[in-house]
Amino acid sequence: MRRLLLALPFALLPLAIAHAADAAHEVEHASLGAHEHGTARLNAALDDETLELELDSPAMNLVGFEHPATSDADKAAVNNVRQLLAQPLTLFAVPAAAKCIVAKQTLNSPLFGDKPAADEHDHDEDADEHDADGAEHHHDHSEIHAHYQLQCDNAAVLKSLDLTRLFKTFPATHKVQVQLIAPNGQEGVDATPDNSVLTY
């Protein structure tokens, strides 16, 4: 009996490891933010003369759909959004006095033909939805990621970031969860169309 009790923790070890890995995955997924239509995430970091902006949004907020673009209308919509996102100084109202230029930018999305990220995938069988008559619906969840690096000759005037144009350009975006990182600290705020100016 004593041998059995001593062996029990070792027998349960693989189960404990698997459970811990699942819990870690859930925490990691939660920290990345849930895929919520109407809500986007923005990291804005100011370091010396560099302003980094990283926008993550469900494609639904920007394009109006998340399925692969097959029709001409869908392809045109995706192309239009890509062109809008390629102009960060138009979307994010950075003061002209800051004299910022776009030093680097990347745009990624399965809708742009990019491979989806590891955490961005079709729902599995436990996430499929059923309608009233029991028919099963399988949903794709596509994200759009935009990363910008702005070099500013006069970064001292960067006291605020105005998201008004972002909300007007993409009206299906109702909230942006923002992490502001500046020399004086870090702050998390929710921007909305009625509260769209962020201060550092």
Side-chain angles (χ1 to χ4, degrees):
M1 178 75 172
R2 186 172 173 191
R3 276 191 219 151
L4 179 61
L5 289 175
L6 289 173
L8 190 57
F10 295 104
L12 295 176
L13 189 59
L15 181 62
I17 291 170
H19 180 69
D22 287 345
H25 177 72
E26 286 174 18
V27 169
E28 178 186 350
H29 188 69
S31 71
L32 293 173
H35 181 100
E36 181 183 340
H37 293 172
T39 299
R41 295 171 305 282
L42 175 68
N43 293 323
L46 179 60
D47 184 25
D48 292 328
E49 305 295 301
T50 303
L51 175 62
E52 298 251 3
L53 300 170
E54 189 172 14
L55 178 70
D56 293 319
S57 174
M60 182 66 75
N61 299 352
L62 309 183
V63 185
F65 57 85
E66 297 188 337
H67 57 267
T70 53
S71 71
D72 288 343
D74 285 355
K75 289 176 183 176
V78 168
N79 188 48
N80 181 52
V81 164
R82 191 171 194 163
Q83 288 179 10
L84 291 169
L85 289 172
Q87 301 172 44
L89 295 175
T90 300
L91 287 178
F92 303 97
V94 178
K99 299 180 182 175
C100 297
I101 61 164
V102 181
K104 190 162 92 172
Q105 72 177 14
T106 56
L107 304 173
N108 300 99
S109 173
L111 295 184
F112 300 156
D114 301 314
K115 217 173 166 183
D119 64 324
E120 186 180 314
H121 52 77
D122 292 351
H123 278 280
D124 54 22
E125 61 276 356
D126 63 344
D128 287 337
E129 296 177 12
H130 296 77
D131 62 16
D133 61 4
E136 189 174 290
H137 297 280
H138 194 69
H139 293 282
D140 292 334
H141 278 318
S142 294
E143 294 266 336
I144 293 177
H145 308 281
H147 180 218
Y148 311 101
Q149 186 180 85
L150 308 181
Q151 288 300 122
C152 305
D153 286 345
N154 189 15
V157 303
L158 289 175
K159 303 295 184 190
S160 65
L161 184 65
D162 189 344
L163 303 183
T164 302
R165 293 180 194 162
L166 180 73
F167 284 114
K168 286 185 177 177
T169 304
F170 303 112
T173 301
H174 305 295
K175 179 171 72 173
V176 178
Q177 297 171 332
V178 183
Q179 283 294 319
L180 287 172
I181 303 165
N184 58 350
Q186 181 174 342
E187 180 184 8
V189 294
D190 285 347
T192 63
D194 295 327
N195 184 26
S196 58
V197 179
L198 312 170
T199 55
Y200 288 103

